[in-house]
Amino acid sequence: MQTKLNHISIKIEIIKMLKPQLQQSTKTLIPSWNTSTLFLASFPINIFNKNFILKKKNNFRVHHNYNGANTIKAVLNSTEKSIGVKAVVTVQKQVNLNLSRGLDDIGDLLGKSLLLWIVAAELDHKTGLEKPSIRSYAHRGLDVDGDTYYEADFVIPEDFGEVGAILVENEHHKEMYVKNIVIDGFVHGKVEITCNSWVHSKFDNPDKRIFFTNKSYLPSQTPSGVIRLREEELVTLRGDGVGERKVFERIYDYDVYNDLGEVDSNNDDAKRPILGGKKLPYPRRCRTGRQRSKKDPLYETRSNFVYVPRDEAFSAVKSLTFSGNTVYSALHAVVPALESVVSDPDLGFPHFPAIDSLFNVGVDMPGLSDKKSSLFNIVPRLIKSISETGKDVLLFESPQLVQRDTFSWFRDVEFARQTLAGLNPYSIRLVTEWPLRSKLDPKVYGPPESEITKELIENEIGNNMTVEQAVQQKKLFILDYHDLLLPYVNKVNELKGSVLYGSRTIFFLTPHGTLKPLAIELTRPPIDDKPQWKEVYSPNDWNATGAWLWKLAKAHVLSHDSGYHQLVSHWLRTHCCTEPYIIATNRQLSAMHPIYRLLHPHFRYTMEINALAREALINANGIIESTFFPGKYSMELSSIAYGLEWRFDQEALPQNLISRVLAEEDPNEPHGLKLAIEDYPFANDGLVLWDILKQWVTNYVNHYYPQTNLIESDKELQAWWSEIKNVGHGDKKDEPWWPELKTPNDLIGIITTIVWVTSGHHAAVNFGQYSYGGYFPNRPTTARSKMPTEDPTAEEWEWFLNKPEEALLRCFPSQIQATKVMTILDVLSNHSPDEEYIGENIEPYWAEDPVINAAFEVFSGKLKELEGIIDGRNNDSKLNNRNGAGVIPYELLKPYSEPGVTGKGVPYSISI
């Protein structure tokens, strides 16, 4: 009887205190009060709920418990000592001009902006259950330097233990970008939780966001109180594979490239094959769930909105000068304006001064007047206003190549040098067999034997060495686009304004350490009643006709190399192949997994830039198709290259060099490799960077995996690697070369390869694009006319003899092709002012662990040393491939850079 009276008296006291609020709602806030031994927390509860039971206690407190079912449960326990803690949430200030702004402002005034739950790291040792989570509203505080601070006060039981996570509910009608949460007041010190994430409005999605503390845990080491949250968060990120994705979602899933064309269009020229599958193998992209085609449900329809998981999108942290906005403006404003100005798409440049005028006169752009103010801010390098005339012009800055030496592009020594120190150092390889021979079916493509003869090579080398000796002594090298391109020659040649051949280019390694071009072979397969056509050209300084034919042959080869660079070395091997790594990492590795946190900086914004590429760069009739030699077969050709050439194990720089027989293992040599060409700037600098990355990854992995068995027992890690192989790169899942993942060394190799691709590899093939391709005669992206010696009429041959310079200009890209490419290369080569370079700033997760913090300091220091190493090499007069009069120093792998188009700087990620 006494127990019942106690219960009743307690209820009466609560009701008296809450009477005004209860008149409005049975669910309200219980005001908190404190004495030395008595308090109630400020949490919404319904005291009339049948589950609200008070046990006999002299004093009590109320906890809110989040039990995973979005329900509220009140628990009253015996009196315990408590502490007051404060949480400060840093939110990126947003500009909200919608009607919801007023409602959100009211919410801020009432202190109902964010609702937070602090989650204990460990289970209750008495009950074996999760400890009740502590809840509080955060009220808006000060605005400082573009950030808004929200503060929440909590009363925490003294025996609560360490914080494992925090749950966040956004009470606003608009999403918030939460940067971090700092909880202060615990006896064990401040708790920092790095978020850097968009938190959706509860009106879009009632599910709460989960943020774990900065301490990293393997799955088996997860604190018991957050095991369920760790697993539930991964389930959320995987989604269910159903429906169209919404802008606020964070779901990562896979799909094939079935959205590059317009299948429902009446224009057959807008249709493209699906990339991904047995016929055209390809890495997978992120699933968007857009509507399927009415004509063919295997295809996805295109729309203005291309979904990427919310945190993969360019965040508001980035300023307007962020390169993603620059690319978008170039694609959606500058390029269309160019197309309206240049009325004839086939119009070429009449003479070389017309090309030079792009850099000193510019192209009138009257169509930009309505967009001028915004474009001046975003692409100031390109859009100029000529004050004397009031005209707006597209005026290109002179690329570094022609600033240093206007005529360098014309010389063979520069043509050869750029295979080692230029934009595409990934194609040159050693000749290991002679004679050269195609592996294609001779019944379809004609005789497989090359026309590059022993006699021709020995004549070009001089009589000091035979071909056999040159091969044995590793003196002959080749750019070989013969077998890859030959199956597409007849298809491409049917397209208007495009001419393609299969090509081979042979180089000789001179005693000076430089390459000398010896011969170019161009081949056309049989077509209709015409047999295979092939011809070999060599440098010719004693015959004017031969000299001009050599220049034209070089233009064709350079267009092949430019297309291969853009479609394979750049797009396929960095952007495209990295997307499955990102998807698998988010689906299978918890945000508290140390490997997730190691990889995360290397994945920032890659999915967004890839989505932008699908929208306007690699799509049907987009920038790539309209300016590069394969035309509408561009992406299909990259699929063929993926099937024939791509191997994960050979994406590692040392293995890549070995696969091209440009290096062999030698423990006595620096980096354990002996290079076939000692002065190979990309390989020389790249191997130093590779070793620095590998040492950093080694220190990191060994810290978290001190025992070998931890690798195989890590269920998240094993699922991650399995998904990359079997789903993300599923078209290659049965290949024998996939590395195993059983030991820390296996993991070190895999991770180092991935971070090399996103940092060093991408930097080497991206940030020099304007320096080398901005003056397009140096790297034409297409060839528009056939060789004068291919089945010429008498009139055609006579015209060539009379106007060889005009023949070269007609072979080059048209005016619209050249200016579109130059515009895109300029913005793709640009570093934003807030670029995130490798080793420059430590991630908060790493900084909290003393071992990782120390390892990062070593990593950062080694990268600074690399800066000095590269400067020293560029000043070494003995290194002719990176030093000399008018020669661009090789700086593409220098880790750091100032903003702009600099030809140096290695960001963590593929963000442009």
Side-chain angles (χ1 to χ4, degrees):
M1 184 66 181
Q2 184 63 42
T3 299
K4 290 183 179 179
L5 289 173
N6 287 342
H7 287 181
I8 291 169
S9 66
I10 292 172
K11 288 184 179 180
I12 289 171
E13 292 301 317
I14 294 175
I15 291 169
K16 284 181 179 179
M17 184 179 69
L18 298 181
K19 187 175 180 181
Q21 290 92 333
L22 290 172
Q23 289 175 352
Q24 300 176 20
S25 172
T26 59
K27 285 190 177 181
T28 185
L29 287 180
I30 301 177
S32 63
W33 78 89
N34 287 280
T35 67
S36 60
T37 59
L38 177 66
F39 72 91
L40 278 175
S42 303
F43 308 135
I45 66 171
N46 184 347
I47 63 173
F48 295 113
N49 189 296
K50 64 181 181 180
N51 294 321
F52 188 89
I53 300 173
L54 293 177
K55 296 181 179 179
K56 180 182 177 182
K57 302 291 178 183
N58 292 327
N59 297 309
F60 61 89
R61 69 158 186 258
V62 180
H63 289 300
H64 170 267
N65 180 37
Y66 171 70
N67 64 9
N70 293 323
T71 61
I72 296 172
K73 179 180 178 183
V75 182
L76 298 159
N77 297 323
S78 61
T79 302
E80 298 174 3
K81 292 183 180 179
S82 63
I83 56 173
V85 303
K86 180 184 291 292
V88 178
V89 184
T90 305
V91 175
Q92 175 73 25
K93 190 174 182 180
Q94 303 292 312
V95 178
N96 180 8
L97 301 178
N98 295 335
L99 294 176
S100 62
R101 168 68 184 272
L103 296 173
D104 292 343
D105 286 347
I106 293 172
D108 286 344
L109 288 173
L110 295 177
K112 292 186 177 182
S113 305
L114 291 169
L115 189 52
L116 309 178
W117 287 260
I118 295 179
V119 181
E122 300 294 344
L123 297 176
D124 190 315
H125 69 279
K126 296 179 181 178
T127 65
L129 302 175
E130 293 179 8
K131 294 179 182 179
S133 302
I134 312 300
R135 187 181 80 161
S136 179
Y137 277 102
H139 61 273
R140 181 167 179 167
L142 297 175
D143 289 350
V144 180
D145 296 332
D147 291 332
T148 300
Y149 293 91
Y150 292 83
E151 297 181 0
D153 293 310
F154 296 85
V155 178
I156 306 290
E158 194 174 61
D159 63 352
F160 186 79
E162 294 189 3
V163 175
I166 194 162
L167 308 181
V168 180
E169 182 176 271
N170 176 10
E171 306 294 300
H172 279 192
H173 290 75
K174 299 289 289 183
E175 64 184 358
M176 288 184 176
Y177 187 81
V178 178
K179 299 172 87 171
N180 61 58
I181 302 171
V182 178
I183 306 172
D184 194 12
F186 283 101
V187 293
H188 46 268
K190 286 185 179 180
V191 178
E192 296 195 16
I193 300 176
T194 302
C195 305
N196 289 328
S197 179
W198 291 100
V199 176
H200 56 262
S201 165
K202 73 174 184 180
F203 300 102
D204 289 328
N205 180 357
D207 293 340
K208 300 164 185 63
R209 284 297 309 278
I210 303 168
F211 294 106
F212 299 105
T213 62
N214 285 1
K215 188 174 181 179
S216 300
Y217 297 96
L218 301 181
S220 61
Q221 300 164 345
T222 308
S224 59
V226 292
I227 290 175
R228 175 181 56 81
L229 292 180
R230 180 172 185 150
E231 294 171 350
E232 287 181 358
E233 175 74 348
L234 286 174
V235 170
T236 297
L237 291 168
R238 292 172 195 144
D240 59 8
V242 176
E244 183 170 359
R245 299 274 64 87
K246 299 177 178 63
V247 65
F248 60 83
E249 291 181 325
R250 300 162 49 245
I251 292 174
Y252 295 78
D253 204 353
Y254 298 94
D255 208 342
V256 294
Y257 280 74
N258 59 358
D259 64 340
L260 299 179
E262 297 277 4
V263 179
D264 291 338
S265 170
N266 293 324
N267 180 11
D268 289 339
D269 193 44
K271 299 173 183 177
R272 296 295 179 269
I274 294 173
L275 304 184
K278 290 184 179 180
K279 185 177 180 181
L280 291 172
Y282 218 56
R284 298 301 187 261
R285 63 167 175 89
C286 182
R287 179 186 177 276
T288 68
R290 290 185 291 189
Q291 291 185 353
R292 294 290 170 148
S293 161
K294 296 177 181 178
K295 292 184 178 179
D296 188 341
L298 293 177
Y299 287 82
E300 186 175 275
T301 58
R302 293 174 60 79
S303 63
N304 292 330
F305 168 64
V306 182
Y307 166 82
V308 295
R310 190 64 186 98
D311 287 337
E312 303 298 335
F314 300 136
S315 81
V317 176
K318 294 290 185 180
S319 67
L320 279 176
T321 55
F322 178 58
S323 34
N325 290 319
T326 309
V327 174
Y328 188 91
S329 299
L331 292 175
H332 292 84
V334 180
V335 169
L338 266 173
E339 291 173 332
S340 67
V341 170
V342 183
S343 56
D344 183 359
D346 299 319
L347 183 65
F349 289 89
H351 40 66
F352 279 94
I355 298 175
D356 296 336
S357 72
L358 296 173
F359 306 103
N360 50 48
V361 177
V363 180
D364 288 345
M365 300 290 280
L368 287 183
S369 57
D370 57 334
K371 307 181 181 75
K372 180 169 66 175
S373 59
S374 61
L375 287 175
F376 278 178
N377 293 328
I378 296 173
V379 281
R381 275 177 53 90
L382 294 176
I383 309 301
K384 312 288 184 186
S385 183
I386 308 302
S387 57
E388 293 82 1
T389 62
K391 291 183 177 180
D392 301 324
V393 299
L394 182 70
L395 183 64
F396 294 95
E397 296 195 10
S398 295
Q400 194 176 4
L401 182 81
V402 293
Q403 283 183 18
R404 287 177 172 268
D405 185 345
T406 305
F407 302 106
S408 61
W409 67 276
F410 217 57
R411 289 193 287 272
D412 290 345
V413 65
E414 181 64 16
F415 168 54
R417 189 191 73 85
Q418 287 183 28
T419 65
L420 303 174
L423 195 52
N424 184 32
Y426 272 102
S427 287
I428 191 78
R429 62 176 54 242
L430 184 73
V431 174
T432 57
E433 296 179 347
W434 196 269
L436 303 175
R437 185 181 178 90
S438 172
K439 296 178 182 178
L440 298 174
D441 185 353
K443 295 179 182 177
V444 177
Y445 299 104
E449 295 80 13
S450 171
E451 292 288 332
I452 302 177
T453 64
K454 169 183 169 72
E455 292 74 22
L456 185 149
I457 295 299
E458 290 177 353
N459 182 60
E460 290 295 327
I461 295 175
N463 295 323
N464 299 325
M465 186 179 295
T466 65
V467 166
E468 291 78 13
Q469 289 172 328
V471 171
Q472 184 181 15
Q473 295 178 30
K474 300 181 180 180
K475 298 291 186 182
L476 292 184
F477 298 83
I478 186 170
L479 280 182
D480 192 350
Y481 297 123
H482 184 277
D483 285 10
L484 178 65
L485 298 185
L486 204 62
Y488 280 85
V489 166
N490 290 334
K491 294 179 183 180
V492 170
N493 289 345
E494 291 176 355
L495 304 177
K496 183 180 179 181
S498 187
V499 174
L500 180 62
Y501 301 102
S503 69
R504 296 185 179 103
T505 307
I506 302 296
F507 301 87
F508 177 72
L509 181 62
T510 71
H512 306 291
T514 58
L515 293 179
K516 173 186 176 182
L518 303 180
I520 292 173
E521 180 181 44
L522 301 178
T523 305
R524 183 203 68 205
I527 182 172
D528 299 330
D529 58 344
K530 294 181 179 180
Q532 181 196 70
W533 176 90
K534 65 176 65 169
E535 189 154 342
V536 178
Y537 306 89
S538 58
N540 196 324
D541 54 9
W542 54 269
N543 178 283
T545 301
W548 277 105
L549 288 172
W550 171 252
K551 291 179 177 62
L552 282 160
K554 277 202 303 183
H556 279 274
V557 168
L558 285 167
S559 74
H560 304 165
D561 194 61
S562 295
Y564 184 89
H565 158 262
Q566 200 63 263
L567 295 170
V568 181
S569 299
H570 185 199
W571 161 255
L572 173 67
R573 291 178 58 184
T574 64
H575 288 260
C576 185
C577 286
T578 295
E579 187 150 339
Y581 309 150
I582 302 172
I583 298 172
T585 298
N586 284 276
R587 285 168 56 87
Q588 300 299 340
L589 297 181
S590 167
M592 65 165 60
H593 198 292
I595 299 303
Y596 174 93
R597 288 172 167 174
L598 175 59
L599 289 172
H600 185 255
H602 294 278
F603 294 157
R604 288 185 181 120
Y605 310 122
T606 301
M607 291 180 72
E608 173 81 338
I609 200 69
N610 287 1
L612 181 60
R614 299 207 315 275
E615 183 183 352
L617 274 174
I618 63 174
N619 60 304
N621 301 311
I623 300 296
I624 296 297
E625 288 193 359
S626 63
T627 56
F628 284 81
F629 74 81
K632 71 177 186 179
Y633 301 106
S634 293
M635 296 309 293
E636 185 179 326
L637 184 63
S638 74
S639 167
I640 299 300
Y642 176 73
L644 292 174
E645 300 177 1
W646 188 85
R647 294 177 47 158
F648 180 87
D649 59 330
Q650 292 181 359
E651 292 305 288
L653 179 60
Q655 280 64 43
N656 177 269
L657 294 169
I658 291 170
S659 73
R660 292 186 282 134
V661 207
L662 294 176
E664 59 185 23
E665 293 183 355
D666 187 338
N668 297 317
E669 291 288 329
H671 321 292
L673 291 179
K674 179 175 178 59
L675 294 176
I677 303 173
E678 291 184 8
D679 182 12
Y680 185 179
F682 162 70
N684 298 137
D685 298 353
L687 287 170
V688 179
L689 179 56
W690 170 272
D691 281 356
I692 293 171
L693 288 168
K694 186 175 182 180
Q695 188 57 58
W696 156 240
V697 172
T698 298
N699 292 337
Y700 191 99
V701 167
N702 285 340
H703 176 60
Y704 287 104
Y705 295 93
Q707 290 90 37
T708 298
N709 68 308
L710 290 173
I711 295 290
E712 290 198 78
S713 65
D714 187 335
K715 60 182 182 180
E716 288 183 7
L717 189 70
Q718 293 298 328
W720 167 77
W721 185 232
S722 175
E723 188 165 287
I724 285 174
K725 295 185 297 181
N726 296 309
V727 184
H729 286 277
D731 296 336
K732 296 249 182 182
K733 63 184 176 64
D734 297 323
E735 296 288 353
W737 39 254
W738 283 105
E740 292 183 326
L741 182 50
K742 294 182 177 180
T743 68
N745 281 338
D746 294 339
L747 180 59
I748 289 164
I750 290 167
I751 297 296
T752 307
T753 298
I754 291 174
V755 302
W756 160 258
V757 168
T758 65
S759 57
H761 180 152
H762 181 257
V765 299
N766 183 75
F767 292 105
Q769 290 194 84
Y770 193 73
S771 296
Y772 286 104
Y775 187 75
F776 70 86
N778 182 63
R779 288 190 67 79
T781 57
T782 189
R784 297 189 302 138
S785 60
K786 66 184 181 72
M787 288 297 293
T789 51
E790 183 195 348
D791 305 328
T793 64
E795 291 80 7
E796 288 172 340
W797 183 250
E798 185 67 22
W799 177 83
F800 164 67
L801 292 178
N802 291 327
K803 298 184 176 180
E805 181 178 318
E806 188 173 335
L808 182 60
L809 287 164
R810 284 191 184 182
C811 187
F812 284 156
S814 66
Q815 290 189 27
I816 185 62
Q817 287 175 321
T819 49
K820 281 165 68 173
V821 167
M822 291 165 67
T823 299
I824 296 304
L825 295 188
D826 183 279
V827 296
L828 291 181
S829 303
N830 185 64
H831 286 296
S832 66
D834 46 7
E835 191 80 85
E836 296 164 327
Y837 299 100
I838 54 171
E840 188 173 37
N841 297 309
I842 191 168
E843 293 290 301
Y845 320 108
W846 306 340
E848 288 202 9
D849 188 307
V851 174
I852 300 302
N853 186 68
F856 181 84
E857 290 300 317
V858 174
F859 175 53
S860 182
K862 290 292 184 182
L863 290 167
K864 292 180 176 66
E865 289 178 12
L866 177 56
E867 293 258 319
I869 291 170
I870 291 175
D871 287 339
R873 288 171 172 174
N874 288 331
N875 289 324
D876 189 341
S877 60
K878 298 189 293 296
L879 301 178
N880 295 308
N881 291 319
R882 60 194 307 158
N883 177 280
V887 172
I888 297 179
Y890 191 76
E891 296 184 312
L892 289 171
L893 293 177
K894 287 190 74 171
Y896 308 115
S897 171
E898 60 273 17
V901 178
T902 63
K904 59 185 175 182
V906 182
Y908 274 111
S909 66
I910 305 164
S911 60
I912 188 64

